[in-house]
Amino acid sequence: MKKGIAISCILVITVIDLFAQQAFKGHVEGPQGHLEFVSVFLPDLQRGTITDASGYFELKDLKAGKHRVEFSLIGYQREVVDVSLPLDAPLQVKMKQLDSSLDEVVVSGTLQEVSKLDSPVPIEVYKSTFFKANPTPSLFESLQNVNGVRPQINCNVCNTGDIHINGLEGPYTMVLIDGMPIVSGLSTVYGLTGIPQSLIDRIEVVKGPASTLYGSEAVGGLINVITKKTELAPAFSMDLMASSWGEINADLGLKTTFGKKIQSLTGGNVFWYDNPIDKNGDGFTDVTLQRRVSFFEKIQVNRPGNKVFSLAGRYLYEDRWGGQMLWSPEYRGGDEIYGESIYTSRWELFGTYELPGVENVNFQFSANGHGQNSVYGDTKYLADQKIAFGQLTWRKEMGVNQFLLGAAYRYTYYDDNTPATGGVGGENEPSKVHLPGAFVQDEITLSSQSKLLLGLRYDYNSVHGSIMTPRLNYKWSSLDKTTVFRLSGGNGFRVANVFTEDHAALTGARDVVFAEELAPEKSWNGNVNLVKKLYTSKGNYYSFDASGFYTYFTNRIVPDYETNPNQIIYSNLDGSAVSKGISLNVDAAFASGFQVMAGATLMDVTLEEEGQKVRQLLTERFSGVWTISYQVPSIDLKIDYTGNVYSPMRLPLLGELDDRPEYSPWYSLQNIQVSKNFGRWEVYGGVKNLLNFTPPANSIARAFDPFDRDVVFDDGGMVVPTPENPNALTFDPTYVYAPNQGIRGFLGVRFTILD
């Protein structure tokens, strides 16, 4: 009897247990759709399976109750989900790619939308999220964490600057918006601010000459700012940030729809800093005071056959000043209290229209006007620049050849109150330059793993005549595209206008002297690039991007600060200039939540004339950058640690008696940020310049005598040493290599409505 009861109990327990066994079903997808071969594992039960071709999985006979489920796939961030069986419905899981740039679309290298991995031209892509790790109020400052790219402040007083790529100054870098050469000439110095960052989708960086496609100025490389497509932009976005120094920055973005065919993207930026600070005690503002307003509008029209038509415009107004702490607008242009006051008014218009028909023909156009009203002490600089640009391209695929033919025209009008536009007898003669050109490019698919790109451009400059610029690019990739090798070579040219590009030529501290009529600069460039991507079984991702570069210049235009401390002497270099070096970018993403982006560049930029070789001024030999991020998914918190480090640079001294160091010290600017999401809201804050590094207080020579009243000059204009001026110095703000702004806190908030 007892034995029968025991057997019955065992049978009942078994039946109950069988009924308690549950089936666990679900679906896994990534950014592009369902994911196959995803590992689904329950560690407490030691059970697992993989997803099928449609991203579905099923596990049978699981015990009811709470279980932890781990989802992993090489190249994707590991997901951990807690479930309670039985489920009311199949589980839906979304996995994030570890390498978001794996199949990034780029346009800067070939003027065509192609996968970054398929592009024969090495292009670095930085998404808008990259710049959020160290939020800044302008594009100029944002680029400080890009390897091989350095924002260079050119004046200790007004803080204007340019962007260096691989040691080459700002005028050698072309800055584009949506592929159009908007930022050039005067805006190389004054127009790199005010682009609403809420509207930026990504920034593409090409290092090395790109004159074959983009013409003059793209000698050192190009930076292409790609704005968001209207259909992908959020319905509304807002970003407000303030710092402990009193800086306030506001970015706004708004998407609107007119009917079924027209979409509009509107953006605005306001930056306000009106708090004079002099922490180094030299009597001058440490940071330029700025009031800046920028407005951006982009319209996209849906046309039959998905033909492209977009039109965009931007307006910028900025009032900035720096100088002695007692300066106010009534002293503008006078010789009582020194100040550098700059009013900038700038408009831009650009767009793309794809012609009707079967053939792929695009017309791209842009126009901009730049008005400059500046004073540097009692020296005035008034300038007006207008540029019109049009380009017609035709793409045709014929077998293994993909041809791109183009014709372009650029008209540049420039007028100012300097000798640059002074004619015979002192009459004003504005500069008017016509630059028609034509180019051809053939991208040849040699095999499924290799491509060859050949290009040639011809331009006719109405002042300097004919200019030819060829290029050659070769790319090989492994079958799985985890290894990519690129070899590039090309020619670049640049026609310089000193007064639109070099702030030092405009200040009242030195006289400008032209030793000769300046000829166009030319360069030859070679670049070797190797990319290697690694995925581990634990779900980690590593990318290594190494490059070697060499650029050889002839006719290099070099400002001579050293022959006469009271002059800047411009002439074409009677010799050669070389920029060469190596760089390495390392990206790593770990399933644990850590992400690392780090880079280093080692370079040598030299000038050689009459057998003597010297290092270029204000150029470091080594630079390093890093962005280290850690995400805590459970509380939606992110920590970002960013920074850069620079080796010593040779600085412009004012003569043999100048006792300031000839080289800057090693220095590093480091920042930390914590951000937290609350649905549509994101709150962020942190500290910039953690090490509180600033240049020495004597960076401005003779800051106490900005009008050189107590400086004695001889008949040749040279400074005479006196007991009051034993080092034979004059007032000079060009001894600058780093920002004067020390440690500061910041706090910001973002609000986004996606639809």
Side-chain angles (χ1 to χ4, degrees), residues 378-404:
D378 56 358
T379 300
K380 293 184 179 180
Y381 171 64
L382 309 174
D384 178 30
Q385 177 181 269
K386 294 180 177 66
I387 299 176
F389 175 82
Q391 179 171 271
L392 192 68
T393 60
W394 174 60
R395 294 199 299 268
K396 185 70 173 179
E397 192 169 338
M398 300 175 63
V400 297
N401 299 279
Q402 188 166 330
F403 289 101
L404 176 70

Side-chain angles (χ1 to χ4, degrees), residues 422-440:
V424 179
E427 295 181 3
N428 187 50
E429 292 185 4
S431 169
K432 301 175 182 179
V433 178
H434 302 270
L435 187 65
F439 58 90
V440 59

